[in-house]
Amino acid sequence: MTPELLALPAVQRALLSRSQRELADLHLRRDILRLDDEGLSQRTIAELVGLSQPEVSRRLKRRRLASFEESPREIILHRAVGDCTSEQMMQRLLAMTMTSSTPSADAAHDGAVSASGTAAQLGQAYLDGLLTEKEYDQLRGGVKTVAAGSS
């Protein structure tokens, strides 16, 4: 997105709403897993989170794609909604080690791409208008990356 486009109030509101929704979806995904871990039935979980029981079942079947670790995208979203400063976001991102590869084909389900922890999230956040060009360049030069499957 161009700086001119990003300066429009309507664009800023739309990006804020999108970021809030994406964070809420991440929290909901984790809540479903935690409630299941606590032994609640799928029907009870569905009632609590406002989804159908079959949808809760589908999400639980994709458990292996979910992560309780904070992803780079999630950190960026927290800045976008005002939960942290730009400086705090940059410090947290620069302290992370990320994989340099893209997510597997399985990761396309249930938002797992946004939870995968790959450096590719930085480029997508820039394209989505969530990072400035200066932030993106600083992160590209400073983030530690490893090949997928490495420790």
Side-chain angles (χ1 to χ4, degrees):
M1 282 188 219
T2 65
E4 296 80 22
L5 185 62
L6 289 171
L8 295 173
V11 171
Q12 292 174 3
R13 282 191 304 273
L15 287 174
L16 176 61
S17 295
R18 176 182 174 176
S19 297
Q20 290 168 329
R21 186 183 70 241
E22 194 171 336
L23 272 175
D25 287 344
L26 283 169
H27 294 170
L28 179 64
R29 186 175 307 117
R30 290 180 185 143
D31 289 342
I32 290 170
L33 298 177
R34 286 185 184 110
L35 292 167
D36 181 61
D37 290 345
E38 291 293 325
L40 276 69
S41 70
Q42 290 182 12
R43 180 173 300 211
T44 300
I45 294 170
E47 290 171 6
L48 287 169
V49 301
L51 296 173
S52 68
Q53 181 277 323
E55 178 60 23
V56 168
S57 177
R58 278 189 289 278
R59 289 178 183 230
L60 289 172
K61 286 178 184 173
R62 295 187 300 252
R63 174 182 283 271
R64 66 186 175 84
L65 299 176
S67 173
F68 285 100
E69 290 184 31
E70 194 170 49
S71 69
R73 176 105 181 159
E74 188 172 357
I75 292 169
I76 294 165
L77 290 169
H78 277 292
R79 191 276 301 264
V81 302
D83 291 343
C84 68
T85 67
S86 295
E87 183 177 301
Q88 291 167 328
M89 175 196 72
M90 293 298 287
Q91 288 173 349
R92 291 167 66 192
L93 290 170
L94 288 167
M96 294 180 90
T97 299
M98 300 179 208
T99 59
S100 57
S101 63
T102 57
S104 68
D106 285 343
H109 303 290
D110 200 27
V113 170
S114 64
S116 65
T118 68
Q121 291 178 26
L122 302 177
Q124 188 60 53
Y126 171 68
L127 293 174
D128 291 343
L130 297 170
L131 288 174
T132 66
E133 186 173 359
K134 181 180 176 183
E135 290 168 336
Y136 178 61
D137 288 342
Q138 184 179 353
L139 290 166
R140 279 185 31 189
V143 114
K144 296 174 284 298
T145 58
V146 295
S150 299
S151 301

